[in-house]
C-alpha cells in the first residue's frame, strides 16, 4: 500500500464530502464534470461504482461509455455539489468516441494499475497527451488503482509522473477494500470547487478593476490562487503503443 495522498497543489485540499441520495439533495451551488480515463481493465468502472454505491460491485461489466449524475455535500458547510461522473473505455477502438467525453470537463482522473508495470508508462505515452490535447483546461488527478495487489510501481516514480504531467495530486486506491476511495473523490470535488471559487473571484476582481477599483494588496482574497508547483510537460498526442494487461476487476 502506498502512503497517504500526495498533494502537488493546495487546490486539491479541503473538506470531506459525502454522497447524497437523489431525494435528499438541495439545490447544488456548483455543477461539475469529472471524467476518468486509463488503460482498459485497470479498475476505472469499479472505482466509480464503489464510490457511488459505497461498496465494491459484485459483477464486472465492461464499459463503452457511461455517465452518472451524483450529488455530494461538504460535511462541514453542507454545501451541495452536483457532479457528472463520466466513465470511459480504454480500448484503442473507442479512442475517437472517448475524445468527445472530454468536452467541458473540470477534472480528469487519470488512472493506472499499480500491479501492471506497463500501466504507469502509458500515462506518458497515451493518457497525458490525450487529456492535454482535448481537455487543456481541466485539472488532472493521477490515481493508482488496485492498491491491494502486489505493487509493480514505486511511489517515488508515481509522484514524479504526477508532477511531470501537472497533476494536482496523486493517490493510490483499492476499490475492493474501499481504501482511499472517499479520499480520492474529496480531492476531485475540492479541486472542482476551488477552481470555481477562484474563477468567480477573478471575475469579481476584474469587474472591480474595470469600474475603477482595485483589491487591497493585504486582502487574502486578492492573493494569487493556489497552483501546481510544476507546469505540465509538453506532450505530443500519440497512438497507443502499449496495452495494459491488468487483471479485470
Amino acid at each position: 500500500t502506498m502512503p497517504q495522498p500526495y498533494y502537488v497543489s493546495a487546490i486539491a485540499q479541503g473538506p470531506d464530502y459525502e454522497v447524497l441520495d437523489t431525494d435528499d439533495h438541495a439545490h447544488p451551488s456548483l455543477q461539475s464534470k469529472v471524467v476518468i480515463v486509463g488503460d482498459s481493465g485497470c479498475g476505472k468502472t469499479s472505482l466509480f461504482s464503489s464510490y457511488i454505491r459505497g461498496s465494491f460491485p459484485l459483477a464486472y461489466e465492461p464499459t463503452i461509455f457511461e455517465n452518472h449524475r451524483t450529488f455530494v455535500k461538504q460535511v462541514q458547510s453542507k454545501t451541495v455539489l452536483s457532479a457528472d461522473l463520466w466513465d470511459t473505455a480504454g480500448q484503442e477502438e473507442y479512442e475517437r468516441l472517448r475524445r468527445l467525453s472530454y468536452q467541458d470537463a473540470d477534472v480528469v482522473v487519470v488512472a493506472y494499475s499499480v500491479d501492471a508495470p506497463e500501466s504507469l508508462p502509458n500515462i506518458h505515452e497515451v493518457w497525458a497527451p490525450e487529456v492535454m490535447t482535448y481537455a487543456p483546461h481541466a485539472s488532472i488527478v493521477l490515481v493508482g488503482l488496485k492498491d491491494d495487489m502486489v505493487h509493480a510501481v514505486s511511489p517515488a516514480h508515481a509522484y514524479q509522473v504526477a508532477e511531470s504531467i501537472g497533476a494536482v495530486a496523486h493517490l493510490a486506491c483499492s476499490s475492493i477494500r474501499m481504501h482511499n476511495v472517499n479520499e480520492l473523490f474529496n480531492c476531485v470535488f475540492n479541486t472542482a470547487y476551488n477552481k470555481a471559487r477562484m474563477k468567480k473571484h477573478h471575475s469579481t476582481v476584474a469587474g472591480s478593476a474595470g469600474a475603477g477599483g482595485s483589491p487591497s494588496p493585504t486582502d487574502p482574497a486578492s492573493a494569487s490562487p493556489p497552483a501546481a508547483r510544476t507546469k505540465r510537460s509538453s506532450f505530443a498526442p500519440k497512438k497507443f503503443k502499449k496495452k495494459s494487461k491488468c487483471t479485470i476487476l
Side-chain angles (χ1 to χ4, degrees), residues 51-131:
Y51 181 70
I52 294 168
R53 301 173 183 175
S55 61
F56 187 75
L58 297 178
Y60 172 78
E61 296 182 1
T63 303
I64 297 179
F65 285 93
E66 186 175 316
N67 63 78
H68 179 86
R69 173 162 291 184
T70 189
F71 295 88
V72 298
K73 74 175 179 180
Q74 293 181 358
V75 174
Q76 297 173 339
S77 70
K78 309 303 181 184
T79 300
V80 176
L81 280 67
S82 167
D84 290 331
L85 306 179
W86 288 61
D87 192 8
T88 66
Q91 294 93 328
E92 183 176 1
E93 55 265 33
Y94 295 115
E95 182 178 356
R96 181 174 296 181
L97 184 59
R98 185 178 58 251
R99 291 174 178 178
L100 301 176
S101 67
Y102 289 115
Q103 185 175 0
D104 299 324
D106 298 296
V107 180
V108 177
V109 179
V110 181
Y112 69 95
S113 179
V114 301
D115 70 333
E118 69 274 21
S119 190
L120 187 60
N122 280 349
I123 300 300
H124 272 295
E125 293 289 337
V126 178
W127 301 112
E130 184 172 294
V131 173

Side-chain angles (χ1 to χ4, degrees), residues 4-7 12-13 15-17 34-36 43-44 46-51 85 107-112 140-146 168-175 178-192:
Q4 291 302 307
Y6 175 70
Y7 295 105
Q13 297 178 280
D16 292 344
Y17 289 80
V34 180
V35 179
I36 188 168
K44 303 183 299 295
S46 295
L47 174 67
F48 269 13
S49 297
S50 295
Y51 181 70
L85 306 179
V107 180
V108 177
V109 179
V110 181
Y112 69 95
I140 294 175
V141 176
L142 182 63
V143 58
L145 299 176
K146 302 184 181 180
V168 297
H170 171 277
L171 292 88
C173 298
S174 169
S175 300
M178 293 298 292
H179 170 67
N180 270 350
V181 172
N182 290 330
E183 287 78 2
L184 169 67
F185 284 93
N186 288 340
C187 174
V188 168
F189 296 136
N190 279 318
T191 299

Side-chain angles (χ1 to χ4, degrees), residues 191-207:
T191 299
Y193 181 74
N194 289 332
K195 283 180 65 176
R197 286 183 59 194
M198 291 189 301
K199 184 176 180 180
K200 182 178 180 181
H201 170 68
H202 289 164
S203 297
T204 302
V205 170

